[in-house]
Each structure stands twice: as structure tokens, then as C-alpha cells.
């Protein structure tokens, strides 16, 4: 039974997102008639169920949302969680964030420091107490192994930056949901998103948006033998995983790493607690719908434990080249334009997604298009992912 089954009906409206006949993604919804500055406990539960059900939810009309109210909403989704951003406070993020903190500039909103300002360019003379801030290090595709020539980028040719879930993968469990509020972004001209992986694939979108694909659809594309393997297998992630891959480069389509042997040795990561190293199932079960998602953050995976039944002794893969090759064959099936959702966000809209069901990515754009200002918040979950079958206690 879902958490909202015994509470009053929702006061807001949920409408599935429109799509063209060519588009094959099967998730996404728009919410209207809701004021997040003043949302009841019952509507918080209904909104939570809507996110789990639709995976990506766009809540319209939140121009007046106070940053602290965004953070309060995040904590009300998961009141039993430690009351801090899933990547920790800014000091922890900047010291242990590795690839994440090196690749971008992140600022906490004064009075609501767990709400993070992310964006590009000049943020205004006074943005909620942040004075005359210019973000010169936005999320970009600079970390891709194959360079995108500057003149092509300036002409509006871009890439998916890095497909991922929001997850520390060490010490804390991933957030159930991430919330991202659009304060300001350019709306034209469109960018041309290129895969640049010899597939010839591309798609167009407005600038300053976030792209998604569903790992539930990915699971549905797997063969029965692959599903059986995934249902019984698990992943061990590296300690301080983003430090571990801090010197690595990504593929041009934004999914996965180029294997160059640049992962750090464990002794180079500094102190870490083996008990805080995360081991998760390959398949994560949606607690509301029961759907299965093939949910493996391949860039941080250090070991795979593969088996196709509870009785089978797992085969351990600890060669990252082999790990990435196996994941690539499964994950790239859904990485096609028709399965990718890029919701249009108006200023004041806030998008929320089920972090246990989808991957997402930023999409950079030429600086000449104008500034981008977003408020992002999530919280480490009080209960981590659950798979179809238990992971052995000795794992």
C-alpha cells in the first residue's frame, strides 16, 4: 500500500507529459494547482507518490518559492533522514567531491545552505544574499576524452555532460528524489545535442535544460537471461568514488568512462572506512509501483558480483575495463533520442525526479546565450535501495 493510500485526496492535478508519436519514453508528468510554500502533509505524500509513479515530475508556477521552503519540502519527503544534502555540507563536498567538485562551482544559498546554486554566468547583483556572483565553472563537457572543438560549441553543437544518479555512493545512501528549481535560463536559440560516438545520433533542445532516461525502460529492453542475472547480482562501489575517478575522462555521449587506467589507487584516497563502502543491487525496485530499474552507476563501479540464482556462487569482476564493457552493452540501448525526455522549464518551475529510477544529465550551451540560475536540493535517504533478491550478508 502506498504511503498516501489512507490520506485525503490530493488538492493538485497530475497530467502525463505530452509527447509526439516518435517519442517512446513512457514517464513524466506535470503538476499544477500546488503552492510549495504552503503544502499540507497529505499533499507531500501524494506528491511523493506521483514522483515514484511518474519518475519525472514538473511542478509549475513556483516563482515565489522561498529557498528554505524547497529544503523543507525535501526533508518532509524523508523526515527520518539526516538533515543534510546527500553530498554533505559544502566543506565535505569541496574536499571529498573529486570529479564533482573539480568540474563545477557550487554555492549554498544563505539561510538555506543545503539548497545549492548551480548555473552559468552572472547570477545578479543580489541573489538571495549572494552578491554579484559570476559562475565561471558550470557543468560542461570539458571532462570528455574526445574534445569538442570550441568553434563547433560556439555554433550551438553540444553534448550530454554526464549521465548519472545523484548519489554519494560512500557513507550515505542516495537521495530518493532530487529537486531542481529554475530561476532563470535562456530559451533560444536551440542547441544541437550530438552523441559524437560514431552513431550519428543527435537531437535538438532549448538551452539550459536537464535530460533524462529511464532505467526501468532499460530493464524492459534486457533479455530474460540478462534480467535473471541482474535480479540476482550486485555492485561494489569504490570508496570516495568521485576522488577515485578524479583523473578519468568520459565518453562523448556522456555515458560511462574511457578506460585509461587513471583510477586512483585505494591508498591514494586517504582515510576511508570499509564499512562505509557501498554495495547495492544491480536492480532497484520502485517501492510504490514495484517496477524494476537496472540501476548501476558505472563510472564508480569497482566490482561486480554476477549470478543468476540465489544458489549460484557469484562470479566477481574487478577489472574496470570488463565492467564498463558489460554495462555499455545494456545501458546504451536506451540512449537514443526517442527514449530521452528533456522537459521544458519555465522560470519558477521546479522539476523533481525519482533518483532510484532514472539517470539525468546537464546539457551545456554557449555562454553567449545568457546566464542560467538553478536551485538544487536533495537529501541522503533514510533507507537505501532494495533489490528483487537479498545481497548475501558477507558481501
Amino acid at each position: 500500500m502506498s504511503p498516501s493510500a489512507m490520506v485525503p485526496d490530493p488538492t493538485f492535478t497530475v497530467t502525463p507529459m505530452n509527447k509526439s508519436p516518435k517519442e517512446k519514453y513512457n514517464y513524466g508528468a506535470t503538476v499544477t494547482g500546488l503552492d510549495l510554500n504552503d503544502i499540507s502533509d497529505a499533499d507531500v505524500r501524494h506528491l511523493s507518490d506521483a514522483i515514484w509513479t511518474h519518475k519525472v515530475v514538473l511542478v509549475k508556477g513556483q516563482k515565489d518559492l522561498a529557498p528554505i521552503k524547497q529544503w523543507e519540502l525535501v526533508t518532509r519527503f524523508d523526515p527520518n533522514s539526516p538533515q543534510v544534502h546527500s553530498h554533505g555540507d559544502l566543506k565535505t563536498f569541496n574536499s571529498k567531491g573529486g570529479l564533482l567538485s573539480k568540474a563545477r562551482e557550487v554555492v549554498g544559498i544563505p539561510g538555506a545552505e543545503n539548497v545549492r546554486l548551480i548555473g552559468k554566468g552572472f547570477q545578479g547583483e543580489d541573489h538571495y544574499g549572494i552578491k554579484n556572483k559570476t559562475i565561471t565553472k558550470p557543468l560542461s563537457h570539458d571532462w570528455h576524452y574526445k574534445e569538442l572543438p570550441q568553434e563547433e560549441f560556439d555554433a550551438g553543437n553540444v553534448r550530454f555532460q554526464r549521465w548519472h544518479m545523484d548519489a554519494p555512493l560512500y557513507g550515505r545512501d542516495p537521495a530518493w528524489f532530487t529537486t531542481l528549481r529554475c530561476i532563470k535560463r535562456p530559451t533560444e536559440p536551440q542547441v544541437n545535442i550530438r552523441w559524437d560516438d560514431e552513431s550519428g545520433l543527435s537531437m535538438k533542445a532549448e538551452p539550459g535544460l536537464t535530460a533524462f532516461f529511464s532505467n526501468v525502460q532499460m530493464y524492459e529492453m534486457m533479455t530474460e537471461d540478462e534480467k535473471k542475472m541482474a535480479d540476482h547480482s550486485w555492485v561494489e562501489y569504490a570508496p570516495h568514488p568521485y576522488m577515485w575517478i578524479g583523473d578519468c575522462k568520459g565518453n562523448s555521449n556522456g555515458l560511462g568512462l574511457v578506460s585509461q587506467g587513471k583510477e586512483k589507487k585505494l591508498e591514494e584516497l586517504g582515510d576511508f572506512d570499509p564499512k562505509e563502502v557501498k554495495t547495492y543491487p544491480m536492480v532497484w525496485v520502485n517501492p510504490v509501483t514495484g517496477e524494476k530499474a537496472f540501476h548501476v552507476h558505472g563510472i564508480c563501479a569497482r566490482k561486480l558480483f554476477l549470478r543468476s540464482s540465489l544458489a549460484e556462487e557469484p562470479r566477481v569482476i574487478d577489472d574496470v575495463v570488463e565492467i564498463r564493457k558489460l554495462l555499455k552493452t545494456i545501458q546504451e540501448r536506451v540512449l537514443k533520442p526517442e527514449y530521452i525526455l528533456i522537459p521544458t522549464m519555465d522560470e519558477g518551475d521546479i522539476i523533481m525526479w525519482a533518483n532510484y529510477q532514472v539517470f539525468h544529465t546537464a546539457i551545456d550551451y554557449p555562454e553567449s546565450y545568457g546566464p542560467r540560475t538553478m536551485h538544487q536540493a536533495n537529501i541522503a535517504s533514510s533507507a537505501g535501495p532494495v533489490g528483487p533478491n537479498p545481497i548475501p550478508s558477507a558481501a
Side-chain angles (χ1 to χ4, degrees):
M1 181 179 292
S2 69
S4 63
M6 301 301 293
V7 299
D9 290 341
T11 65
F12 57 87
T13 301
V14 181
T15 306
M17 289 183 183
N18 293 326
K19 61 181 181 179
S20 72
K22 292 182 179 180
E23 293 170 316
K24 296 181 181 179
Y25 56 82
N26 59 6
Y27 57 99
T30 299
V31 166
T32 54
L34 190 58
D35 178 4
L36 295 179
N37 276 316
D38 184 22
I39 179 173
S40 68
D41 289 343
D43 274 346
V44 168
R45 293 174 193 164
H46 285 300
L47 183 57
S48 175
D49 273 9
I51 300 168
W52 281 119
T53 300
H54 297 281
K55 303 172 186 66
V56 176
V57 168
L58 183 67
V59 183
K60 302 291 291 183
Q62 306 301 312
K63 272 192 174 183
D64 297 326
L65 180 65
I68 193 63
K69 288 297 184 179
Q70 182 176 350
W71 176 245
E72 287 176 4
L73 175 64
V74 165
T75 63
R76 290 169 73 188
F77 280 142
D78 191 359
N80 295 321
S81 178
Q83 304 295 290
V84 67
H85 194 282
S86 70
H87 283 289
D89 57 30
L90 283 172
K91 182 179 178 181
T92 301
F93 176 74
N94 288 324
S95 64
K96 298 294 186 181
L99 172 75
L100 302 185
S101 55
K102 182 173 73 172
R104 62 174 172 164
E105 185 176 7
V106 176
V107 180
I109 302 297
E113 283 75 11
N114 287 306
V115 177
R116 305 285 160 84
L117 169 64
I118 57 175
K120 180 170 186 159
F122 184 59
Q123 300 300 297
E125 293 182 2
D126 187 346
H127 182 76
Y128 294 96
I130 300 171
K131 311 280 189 177
N132 295 305
K133 180 68 179 178
T134 298
I135 295 179
T136 57
K137 195 167 68 168
L139 283 169
S140 71
H141 35 62
D142 292 346
W143 81 293
H144 292 172
Y145 176 76
K146 181 181 177 183
E147 184 179 349
L148 178 63
Q150 186 65 41
E151 61 273 15
E152 295 184 25
F153 176 62
D154 289 341
N157 295 291
V158 302
R159 296 172 179 163
F160 299 117
Q161 192 259 347
R162 175 175 48 87
W163 291 102
H164 65 287
M165 58 174 155
D166 290 329
L169 299 174
Y170 173 83
R172 293 175 296 276
D173 286 321
W176 292 339
F177 311 139
T178 293
T179 65
L180 183 69
R181 179 175 167 234
C182 178
I183 311 298
K184 178 170 56 179
R185 71 171 182 89
T187 58
E188 57 182 8
Q190 285 191 323
V191 291
N192 180 46
I193 309 164
R194 302 192 321 207
W195 271 238
D196 282 348
D197 61 356
E198 300 183 355
S199 67
L201 294 173
S202 66
M203 64 187 300
K204 294 186 182 297
E206 290 184 13
L209 298 174
T210 300
F212 299 88
F213 65 65
S214 167
N215 287 328
V216 175
Q217 283 193 288
M218 182 188 298
Y219 181 85
E220 292 167 352
M221 294 176 178
M222 296 167 67
T223 67
E224 290 306 310
D225 284 346
E226 288 172 336
K227 290 178 182 177
K228 190 175 180 183
M229 177 273 294
D231 283 350
H232 292 86
S233 300
W234 64 95
V235 186
E236 180 183 309
Y237 291 97
H240 299 307
Y242 304 103
M243 293 177 65
W244 181 61
I245 61 170
D247 296 327
C248 297
K249 292 289 187 178
N251 290 316
S252 299
N253 61 16
L255 183 63
L257 293 177
V258 175
S259 295
Q260 299 172 276
K262 291 189 174 183
E263 297 77 18
K264 286 183 168 59
K265 297 177 181 177
L266 295 190
E267 53 267 28
E268 297 178 297
L269 299 177
D271 293 337
F272 67 87
D273 185 347
K275 294 179 182 177
E276 300 288 358
V277 172
K278 290 300 181 183
T279 299
Y280 291 131
M282 272 192 168
V283 172
W284 297 14
V285 178
N286 186 313
V288 170
T289 68
E291 293 170 300
K292 295 179 180 180
F294 184 80
H295 212 67
V296 180
H297 206 351
I299 65 175
C300 298
R302 185 167 164 263
K303 292 182 182 180
L304 301 183
F305 296 79
L306 305 182
R307 61 179 186 175
S308 295
S309 71
L310 293 174
E312 186 180 333
E313 191 70 22
R315 177 169 70 95
V316 181
I317 301 178
D318 57 8
D319 179 347
V320 294
V321 177
E322 188 176 351
I323 289 171
R324 291 165 190 164
K325 183 179 179 182
L326 184 152
L327 295 177
K328 176 184 171 75
T329 62
I330 294 173
Q331 293 178 321
E332 285 196 349
R333 295 172 198 173
V334 81
L335 189 56
K336 293 181 171 59
E338 59 267 30
Y339 293 108
I340 293 172
L341 170 63
I342 307 178
T344 298
M345 297 182 73
D346 296 325
E347 293 181 1
D349 292 349
I350 182 167
I351 197 162
M352 308 176 183
W353 60 88
N355 208 34
Y356 287 23
Q357 303 288 282
V358 299
F359 273 11
H360 68 282
T361 179
I363 308 167
D364 200 8
Y365 61 86
E367 189 173 356
S368 62
Y369 288 19
R372 176 181 187 254
T373 304
M374 300 276 174
H375 287 183
Q376 188 256 40
N378 62 41
I379 192 169
S381 64
S382 58
V386 175
N389 295 289
I391 297 174
S393 57

